[in-house]
Amino acid sequence: MPLTPTPADSASAAESSPPQRPDLDQMVDHDAEPQLQRHLTNRHVQLIAIGGAIGTGLFMGSGKTIALAGPGVFLVYTIIGFFLFLVMRALGEVLLSNLSYKSFADVAHDLIGPWAGFFVGWTYYVCWLVTAVVEVIVITGYMDFWWPDLPRWIMPVVTVVLLFFLNLATVKAFGEIEFWFSIIKIVAIMALVAVGVVMVVMGFTAPNGAHAQISNIWSGGVFPKGASGFFGAFQIAIFAFVGTELVGTAAAEAKDPEVTLPRAINAIPMRIVLFYLGALAAIMAVTPWREINPEDSPFVAMFSLAGLGVAAGLVNFVVLTAAASSTNSGVYSTSRMLFGLSWAGNAPHVFRRLTARSVPGASLVFTCAFLLTSIPLLYTSQSIIAAFTKVTSVAIVLFILVWCIIVVSYLRFRSLRPELHEASAFRLPGGRVTAWLSLAFFAFVIWTLTLAHDTRIAVFFAAPLWLVTLGVAWLVHSSRLARHQEPQP
């Protein structure tokens, strides 16, 4: 079924079933432009959802989270996962109420207003664009393990070209590559859990004399470093969940979204228990949490302790896969978001163009070209690590703002379309109460980001600067639209 433009945003019309936006209807020429097609199968959507929830933040960042929170890390990941599940349930209910929505930017435009669609669309685009640039840099660093003398510019070019052609082929090609990326990450985590269980059963003793035992998990109490350590862990752990909302972007190109979307969202709690909590329990049972180096990947450390001669190479490959998966997801989501922004009149019309295979080619070219900015960053490598922390902190703040807009859109949906909410078979548990609790939780996470100097810059400088820039851009854009809509004399 072709994907039509999003519904109207007038409050009066919104009280009934969602109508079509007249301004977009006038711009659409279905005969001239092909439309996004629903070619992602159930297994694609399921694994995209898993891949979005397992990334570099878990493989590389969990060591710092454990060092900060100790055994309380389980509660940190559980709380974050619970509220991200609620956000996805809210998004799922709204998306399934009108299958003409192409993304949550369309949802925000329709239910909150054009400014909200402009804000969330461009914010999400920049979030993933910046994240993808950083991941390209990370990929280059991982490849140094095998080819340390390779010129720095080669891997970014190879990575961008490869991802460009994978995404240019069809949306199904993206689904396939993300499927296999996710399989690799799942196998790695299951192997880690299995190795941890074996080491505990065999009573493994580390070179420093530490014994692998279940009691290591809660050694020192649940909150050994007090409230400051527990709160500080949220700063790092939240980045591990960036990408969970990708299933909402993929819904526009999913076959039978009424079935695949609820399945993918409802499986989120089980994934958190298995992939996050299971992996952390295995790591902390083998190595007492106080002895985990926050600067290293605990995955690498545990496989090395197990005496696996190829551990370094295997784990380097897995972490490389996680970074490639994140970059692939960034290329996919940003190209679709730019396509949607263009149809909403919030980006140049050239980005509306689709290829014969129903892929937003112009958006894809622009996104991939921007990823090559990783090359000059690589040649200023002395500041890359510090820049990585600052850039990811900015991304976290902006992702949280996007998640908040999704929740506010749900609240508006409940007010403007009560009959669609009543007819929904896939509702947010707890309704308005859990929606408001989610907003309060995200406010709490923003507060935790003010506790450390590196992340405080994102809250008080970078994110406000972006919002001011975006506000000015909206004023210019809306005034231009108003001039174009004035009747000609």
Side-chain angles (χ1 to χ4, degrees):
M1 148 176 138
L3 296 182
T4 58
T6 53
D9 45 69
S10 66
S12 59
E15 294 174 356
S16 58
S17 60
Q20 296 297 315
R21 291 211 307 262
D23 55 328
L24 292 194
D25 284 341
Q26 293 170 4
M27 293 190 291
V28 176
D29 184 353
H30 294 288
D31 296 328
E33 297 285 351
Q35 301 296 305
L36 294 177
Q37 301 297 314
R38 296 188 180 274
H39 290 318
L40 293 178
T41 64
N42 179 61
R43 70 182 178 91
H44 291 145
V45 175
Q46 294 292 334
L47 270 295
I48 287 171
I50 293 176
I54 305 174
T56 311
L58 175 63
F59 286 111
M60 298 300 294
S62 54
K64 289 185 179 181
T65 312
I66 293 171
L68 281 169
V73 70
F74 295 100
L75 187 57
V76 171
Y77 278 97
T78 300
I79 292 173
I80 297 174
F82 171 73
F83 282 105
L84 261 296
F85 170 67
L86 293 180
V87 172
M88 292 309 302
R89 282 295 299 254
L91 178 60
E93 179 177 342
V94 178
L95 285 175
L96 293 176
S97 72
N98 184 354
L99 296 181
S100 66
Y101 287 134
K102 291 187 286 293
S103 70
F104 37 79
D106 294 340
V107 172
H109 183 121
D110 177 39
L111 296 172
I112 301 177
W115 69 268
F118 183 88
F119 166 83
V120 76
W122 279 110
T123 299
Y124 192 68
Y125 180 81
V126 169
C127 283
W128 268 112
L129 202 59
V130 170
T131 302
V133 168
V134 173
E135 296 290 1
V136 170
I137 295 173
V138 170
I139 288 171
T140 304
Y142 291 146
M143 294 306 293
D144 284 345
F145 179 84
W146 291 290
W147 297 292
D149 298 325
L150 200 67
R152 289 285 185 179
W153 62 268
I154 291 181
M155 280 315 303
V157 171
V158 171
T159 301
V160 170
V161 170
L162 179 61
L163 292 176
F164 172 75
F165 282 106
L166 285 172
N167 282 270
L168 186 64
T170 59
V171 67
K172 191 173 182 180
F174 163 78
E176 284 296 323
I177 194 65
E178 195 60 28
F179 175 86
W180 290 108
F181 277 158
S182 298
I183 288 292
I184 292 172
K185 290 187 282 189
I186 290 169
V187 170
I189 291 177
M190 292 178 67
L192 177 103
V193 173
V195 169
V197 170
V198 171
M199 294 173 77
V200 169
V201 171
M202 294 179 63
F204 172 81
T205 302
N208 62 2
H211 296 281
Q213 51 192 357
I214 297 296
S215 60
N216 286 340
I217 296 176
W218 57 81
S219 174
V222 179
F223 306 109
K225 292 193 175 182
S228 61
F230 178 68
F231 294 153
F234 282 91
Q235 304 169 6
I236 302 167
I238 193 75
F239 186 69
F241 289 85
V242 164
T244 306
E245 74 295 324
L246 271 175
V247 67
T249 305
E253 296 174 274
K255 291 181 179 179
D256 199 8
E258 295 96 335
V259 175
T260 57
L261 189 60
R263 283 181 181 175
I265 293 174
N266 285 337
I268 288 175
M270 184 56 65
R271 293 188 192 113
I272 292 168
V273 171
L274 179 62
F275 299 125
Y276 281 76
L277 306 187
L280 294 174
I283 290 168
M284 294 171 67
V286 172
T287 305
W289 69 267
R290 294 182 187 276
E291 300 178 18
I292 293 175
N293 187 345
E295 301 301 321
D296 296 332
S297 168
F299 284 74
V300 176
M302 193 174 126
F303 279 119
S304 298
L305 279 176
L308 300 177
V310 293
L314 280 175
V315 176
N316 194 72
F317 173 73
V318 170
V319 180
L320 173 65
T321 301
S325 172
S326 180
T327 311
N328 192 42
S329 298
V331 170
Y332 171 81
S333 60
T334 50
S335 60
R336 267 59 181 182
M337 188 60 71
L338 194 54
F339 171 79
L341 284 167
S342 180
W343 275 114
N346 293 329
H349 288 192
V350 66
F351 296 122
R352 297 181 185 181
R353 296 177 182 174
L354 297 181
T355 68
R357 295 177 181 269
S358 299
V359 172
S363 300
L364 187 60
V365 169
F366 181 81
T367 295
C368 287
F370 190 88
L371 295 186
L372 294 176
T373 59
S374 57
I375 296 175
L377 289 174
L378 281 167
Y379 285 94
T380 58
S381 57
Q382 290 184 347
S383 62
I384 284 180
I385 300 301
F388 179 83
T389 302
K390 291 180 174 63
V391 168
T392 53
S393 298
V394 173
I396 290 170
V397 174
L398 297 183
F399 270 111
I400 288 175
L401 293 177
V402 170
W403 295 334
C404 288
I405 290 291
I406 291 174
V407 176
V408 172
S409 296
Y410 166 80
L411 292 170
R412 291 285 293 167
F413 169 76
R414 289 286 303 266
S415 298
L416 298 177
R417 313 266 166 76
E419 72 286 350
L420 292 182
H421 167 70
E422 291 299 326
S424 175
F426 188 67
R427 298 183 185 179
L428 167 64
R432 289 190 175 93
V433 173
T434 51
W436 282 108
L437 285 176
S438 299
L439 293 176
F441 169 72
F442 289 132
F444 159 75
V445 176
I446 292 291
W447 171 75
T448 66
L449 291 171
T450 67
L451 301 179
H453 174 70
D454 288 344
T455 52
R456 192 181 301 129
I457 294 174
V459 177
F460 292 126
F461 177 71
L465 179 62
W466 167 249
L467 294 179
V468 170
T469 302
L470 204 59
V472 173
W474 168 250
L475 291 176
V476 172
H477 175 69
S478 58
S479 63
R480 184 181 302 162
L481 287 179
R483 286 197 302 271
H484 288 169
Q485 292 173 358
E486 290 177 358
Q488 298 297 323

